Amino acid sequence: MFCAEVKNYQHPSDQGTQFDEFVAKCYVACQAGHLLSDHLMWITWAPFRASTWAQLDSPKHVESAVLQHRDRVLGTDDIATAQSRIQHEVVQMVAARLWLIVLSEKQETLVPLKDWEAIVASELIRKGEQW
């Protein structure tokens, strides 16, 4: 099961700000045991924060995003109090489940060949499943 936010933008725009808010919401969802939180996906057509891309799914970034939204997520505007309220096991959980996926318009036209479709259909039918 997964939860996703999709941004079909032509340019990075304000995705960095929106991504941090998404990560903070993911923290709340994982903390609450949300059923659709096995995978947390950010899907975009426009890469953003290229210089820090490799760290966007790190526990350090998750913690930073939660602290940015501490008033809503942790119920306090005080940074010291917020830091003491962060559940580090939830931070780790969010970081482990976070996916950053970049698509392109060209990928949208990618469809399976009829031969491959026939192989998949044959295998499903052989297993007694519907095609």
Side-chain angles (χ1 to χ4, degrees), residues 8 22 24-25 39 52 60 63 66-67 86-87 90 104 106 108-110 114 128-129:
N8 191 351
F22 171 74
K25 289 175 183 176
H39 302 280
T52 59
K60 183 177 179 179
E63 186 172 323
V66 170
L67 289 173
I86 287 182
Q87 295 177 340
V90 178
S104 71
K106 195 171 189 176
E108 293 179 49
T109 64
L110 185 62
K114 288 294 179 192
E129 298 177 27

Side-chain angles (χ1 to χ4, degrees), residues 7 14 23 43 51 58 64 78 82 87 89 93 98 113 121:
K7 301 294 182 192
D14 64 340
V23 171
I43 304 169
S51 62
S58 71
S64 173
D78 180 66
Q87 295 177 340
E89 64 278 3
M93 186 185 309
L98 199 55
L113 299 172

Side-chain angles (χ1 to χ4, degrees), residues 30-108:
C30 286
Q31 186 180 43
H34 187 259
L35 294 176
L36 300 177
S37 297
D38 293 337
H39 302 280
L40 307 162
M41 299 180 180
W42 181 269
I43 304 169
T44 184
W45 279 252
F48 62 101
R49 291 190 179 160
S51 62
T52 59
W53 182 263
Q55 291 85 40
L56 292 179
D57 62 351
S58 71
K60 183 177 179 179
H61 183 80
V62 172
E63 186 172 323
S64 173
V66 170
L67 289 173
Q68 285 176 47
H69 297 276
R70 62 187 171 272
D71 55 331
R72 292 178 61 201
V73 175
L74 302 169
T76 183
D77 196 39
D78 180 66
I79 190 74
T81 303
Q83 288 172 326
S84 71
R85 291 182 183 174
I86 287 182
Q87 295 177 340
H88 295 285
E89 64 278 3
V90 178
V91 167
Q92 294 289 333
M93 186 185 309
V94 172
R97 296 176 181 191
L98 199 55
W99 294 62
L100 287 100
I101 301 169
V102 179
L103 299 174
S104 71
E105 289 181 18
K106 195 171 189 176
Q107 286 171 303
E108 293 179 49

